[in-house]
Amino acid sequence: MSAPTRPLRRDAALNRERLLDEAERYFAEAGIDASLHELAERTGVGIGTLYRRFPTYADLIRALYDRAAERIDVVMAELADLDSGWDQVVAFLDGNLAILVDYPATPAVLHRMSELDPDYRPGVRWEEAVRGFVARAHDEGSLRADVTGTDLGMLPLAMASVLRFPQPQRGVALARYRRITLDGLRASDAAQPMPTEPFTTEELNTAVHGRTADHPTRAERT
């Protein structure tokens, strides 16, 4: 039986959070493969301190990934008290998009985590809740019947391409595309049928995390 993990001392815990805060900014600016020595310098700690907190690069990426998952946990928890399925759809879209706006390294972290450990996917814990509010919105007649939870999961990343724009263009584009997206999600007699079948959960996970050898694309399976 392994010994219980000791809680970090207060100064060690603060150093760990400072490293993660700076890593999110640093990787967003310099790319996910940027030097860890530079990260330590930017944080104001020695490289030895960085490796004590994160013995390997994979440990650092996993910690950043877990941070992203915790932020989605907060979004999901806030949905529970909303009055309608449509309100939950909107809050889900807005909450996940806000994470990408505030933490632009998130897509790169998700992709790199899939390369390091394709089977590490804590997102399965949200699947039942998403199916629940999608079904609720369908029952209300507010969400078009051919929209699925996997569609909703893809939309924030699809909209995130405008995050590289400078302000004020970024804000203008996000506001407009958010409105276009929400109008496209609403049930309407004028809506045209979807041109393809929706993603499966596995296809969504593959797309969100980045393609891996163990999770082939739809085209490769047909």
Side-chain angles (χ1 to χ4, degrees):
M1 181 176 178
S2 61
T5 303
R6 292 183 181 179
L8 294 176
R9 298 191 318 271
R10 183 172 183 277
D11 59 338
L14 289 174
N15 276 340
R16 185 180 190 278
E17 293 308 303
R18 286 173 55 211
L19 281 163
L20 290 174
D21 288 342
E22 189 58 46
E24 288 181 318
R25 291 188 288 266
Y26 177 53
F27 287 143
E29 297 167 9
I32 200 70
D33 293 310
S35 165
L36 296 188
H37 286 268
E38 177 66 21
L39 170 61
E41 290 180 9
R42 285 178 53 145
T43 312
V45 301
I47 190 66
T49 297
L50 188 153
Y51 282 119
R52 279 194 295 275
R53 300 284 74 82
F54 308 103
T56 68
Y57 173 76
D59 292 323
L60 175 60
I61 295 299
R62 185 180 295 256
L64 294 172
Y65 185 102
D66 287 342
R67 266 192 161 194
E70 289 166 3
R71 290 170 182 138
I72 299 174
D73 283 337
V74 172
V75 171
M76 298 303 294
E78 292 172 347
L79 302 183
D81 296 329
L82 297 180
D83 294 333
S84 72
W86 178 254
D87 289 342
Q88 291 174 311
V89 167
V90 174
F92 178 85
L93 179 66
D94 286 347
N96 281 278
L97 187 58
I99 291 170
L100 300 181
V101 170
D102 293 340
Y103 306 99
T106 300
V109 169
L110 299 181
H111 190 173
R112 183 51 50 86
M113 191 67 230
S114 78
E115 297 173 338
L116 296 169
D117 186 356
D119 295 323
Y120 187 62
R121 295 186 177 184
V124 296
R125 64 182 182 249
W126 308 310
E127 290 175 6
E128 183 176 355
V130 172
R131 284 194 295 266
F133 72 71
V134 166
R136 184 183 181 191
H138 284 155
D139 290 343
E140 295 166 356
S142 57
L143 179 67
R144 54 183 293 168
D146 52 1
V147 168
T148 68
T150 56
D151 291 322
L152 297 181
M154 286 294 295
L155 285 173
L157 286 173
M159 295 172 64
S161 62
V162 303
L163 298 181
R164 68 180 185 274
F165 293 178
Q167 292 289 20
Q169 291 92 337
R170 182 194 312 162
V172 170
L174 282 174
R176 290 182 62 84
Y177 298 155
R178 174 186 178 275
R179 174 50 53 200
I180 292 169
T181 299
L182 290 175
D183 285 350
L185 291 171
R186 278 194 179 275
S188 167
D189 292 339
Q192 296 295 307
M194 291 288 186
T196 65
E197 292 298 311
F199 282 118
T200 65
T201 299
E202 183 57 39
E203 287 171 329
L204 172 64
N205 285 332
T206 299
V208 169
H209 290 79
R211 182 182 170 209
T212 68
D214 292 335
H215 299 91
T217 65
R218 179 183 300 201
E220 290 170 333
R221 289 201 300 275
T222 59

